[in-house]
Amino acid sequence: MADLHLSEVDRLQTKEYWDSRYQKEDDQNTFDWFKTFADLEPFLRQHIPFKDGHKLKIVMLGCGNSTLSKDLYDAGLKHIANVDFSPACIRQMALLHRDDKEMTWHVADVRDMSGFEPATFDIAIDKGTLDAFLSYTGSVWDIPDHIKQPAIKYMDETNRILKPDGKLLYISYRQPHFAKLVIDREYWSMTTNTLTDPGGSFDYFGYVLQK
């Protein structure tokens, strides 16, 4: 049961919060917290060889009820494994996309993806999932251990399921000097792309973590 003493921000880390949220939504609902496929397409095409889409294996980490997986599927990336720790979310999305036969849907915590063998995927994509895990009340400069260590475990698990030349594309509002406290690991190199809104009001970032 979720801790009722946690703030709304702190609850973003919990399975209970998200399962409750998805249970309240209609099976046809989709929602993107930020950045649609149209916004992200130039960045994604720069770092994913879409011409090889028929053979690439993609994992969407914390898929939620975003349209991104379906958009990628329609753009030619057929083999997409969608992972979320909310059974309600996975049930709804699997039903919604039941005709997209090559996409699969998995109830799993991204910090423990033992259902996947090592070196399974070419590309992992995270759009806001790590941001939710790193949401807490306190200084962004001093991440408490109970937040930081599970987030690092998530990075370790992602590294484990990626092929030797695989990459994680992490799309975030988190600025580089804060993000690197967790994502800058010894097993991959990190490059940063700034994803500026058309109005120029707020920058997002696309981190490329290459093994």
Side-chain angles (χ1 to χ4, degrees), residues 182-199:
V182 169
I183 67 174
D184 190 9
R185 316 312 304 162
E186 68 278 2
Y187 37 71
W188 50 36
S189 61
M190 182 180 80
T191 57
T192 304
N193 296 249
T194 301
L195 311 175
T196 305
D197 276 345

Side-chain angles (χ1 to χ4, degrees), residues 22-203:
Y22 292 124
Q23 285 170 354
K24 295 174 184 176
E25 295 184 356
D26 184 87
D27 287 350
Q28 301 299 308
N29 277 6
T30 58
F31 182 78
D32 279 281
W33 288 91
F34 56 79
K35 291 290 181 187
T36 65
F37 175 68
D39 298 324
L40 296 171
E41 188 171 6
F43 168 73
L44 294 170
R45 287 193 178 276
Q46 181 181 354
H47 298 289
I48 301 174
F50 276 68
K51 61 182 176 58
D52 298 325
H54 62 288
K55 62 181 181 180
L56 289 178
K57 291 188 175 181
I58 312 292
V59 59
M60 189 68 66
L61 300 165
C63 62
N65 57 355
S66 167
T67 66
L68 184 56
S69 292
K70 173 62 172 172
D71 293 328
L72 290 170
Y73 187 90
D74 290 343
L77 303 181
K78 298 302 184 183
H79 303 288
I80 303 175
N82 297 278
V83 175
D84 202 284
F85 62 5
S86 167
C89 170
I90 292 298
R91 182 176 62 251
Q92 291 168 11
M93 294 299 282
L95 178 63
L96 183 62
H97 299 295
R98 59 189 176 276
D99 294 330
D100 302 319
K101 300 301 184 183
E102 292 148 303
M103 276 208 290
T104 58
W105 302 89
H106 309 265
V107 177
D109 190 319
V110 294
R111 295 162 291 194
D112 179 7
M113 294 182 281
S114 52
F116 295 124
E117 294 294 325
T120 295
F121 297 101
D122 300 285
I123 306 285
I125 301 174
D126 174 323
K127 185 167 79 78
T129 297
L130 182 60
D131 292 341
F133 286 145
L134 291 176
S135 297
Y136 63 95
T137 305
S139 170
V140 293
W141 287 107
D142 186 19
I143 304 174
D145 279 348
H146 75 280
I147 299 293
K148 186 175 183 178
Q149 293 310 313
I152 290 174
K153 185 177 181 183
Y154 169 26
M155 294 295 96
D156 292 345
E157 271 291 271
T158 302
N159 174 61
R160 183 185 67 81
I161 64 173
L162 282 173
K163 294 178 181 179
D165 59 348
K167 67 178 72 168
L168 166 63
L169 303 180
Y170 167 43
I171 299 148
S172 173
Y173 59 78
R174 196 168 298 275
Q175 295 177 346
H177 45 285
F178 300 123
K180 71 179 183 180
L181 297 174
V182 169
I183 67 174
D184 190 9
R185 316 312 304 162
E186 68 278 2
Y187 37 71
W188 50 36
S189 61
M190 182 180 80
T191 57
T192 304
N193 296 249
T194 301
L195 311 175
T196 305
D197 276 345
S201 58
F202 192 82
D203 285 340

